[in-house]
Amino acid sequence: MSKVALLMGSDSDFDRLEPGVKALRELGIECEVRVLSAHRTPGPLVEYVERARERGIRLFLCAAGGAAHLAGVVAAHSDLPVLGIPMDNPPLGGLDSLLSTVQMPGGVPVATFGVGSGGPVNAALFAARVLALSDPELAKRVAAYRSAQAESVSKKDARLQSRLG
Ligand code: RP5
């Protein structure tokens, strides 16, 4: 079974990443969740990344804040796709993380997601869509997720209409 790895630079990132973990679980995607830092644990990070493919990892989701080098370092040590999630930390609110993650030099790709609550969920859904290209059962679950989301928005619209009279 294909797996993804969700790496974060600190456990202080986890609460904001949990919706992404929830989306992966809802879609039945196995996920290894680890705290591994490009700066604080560079050795264990590289060791983990270099052994990931043989354990069935197919994509990395990498979340970090501030001088966010996690996704870039992972992409430098692996040929697997890397999805970067910039964390919206104080004092700069995530612009620092966004630029550190997105502005990679040519040759070392990191697909970077948005700052804020959409980022972790969208990274999870993007990972699901990539894996679904070669997994028809997952493709059905991805389609069902999108339909359920549309239905939930329609219900919200109906509630708003009745509230407005
Ligand atoms: C980054 O530094 C982490 O990803 C986190 O967003 C930030 C702060 O980490 P802590 O000081 O809270 O451990 O590497």
Side-chain angles (χ1 to χ4, degrees), residues 10-88:
S10 170
D11 61 339
S12 65
D13 299 321
F14 182 69
D15 287 352
R16 287 163 289 161
L17 297 172
E18 216 168 357
V21 176
K22 187 169 168 268
L24 289 168
R25 288 196 170 147
E26 275 176 36
L27 289 164
I29 296 170
E30 203 178 325
C31 181
E32 291 185 1
V33 182
R34 297 288 306 272
V35 177
L36 285 164
S37 163
H39 303 126
R40 291 168 173 160
T41 60
L45 171 64
V46 171
E47 195 180 324
Y48 176 85
V49 169
E50 287 179 346
R51 296 195 164 164
R53 189 195 285 267
E54 70 200 33
R55 287 202 324 282
I57 299 294
R58 293 294 170 259
L59 290 147
F60 290 104
L61 286 69
C62 298
H69 298 131
L70 182 60
V73 168
V74 171
H77 286 88
S78 177
D79 297 320
L80 294 173
V82 177
L83 316 185
I85 306 170
M87 301 307 296
D88 54 351

Side-chain angles (χ1 to χ4, degrees), residues 116-129:
S117 62
V121 172
N122 281 346
L125 296 177
F126 189 90
R129 289 179 180 201

Side-chain angles (χ1 to χ4, degrees), residues 61-73 75 82-87 94-105 108-115:
L61 286 69
C62 298
H69 298 131
L70 182 60
V73 168
V82 177
L83 316 185
I85 306 170
M87 301 307 296
L95 184 57
D96 44 357
S97 328
L98 173 64
L99 297 179
S100 306
T101 306
V102 77
Q103 287 294 73
M104 290 298 293
V108 189
V110 171
T112 304
F113 288 80
V115 175

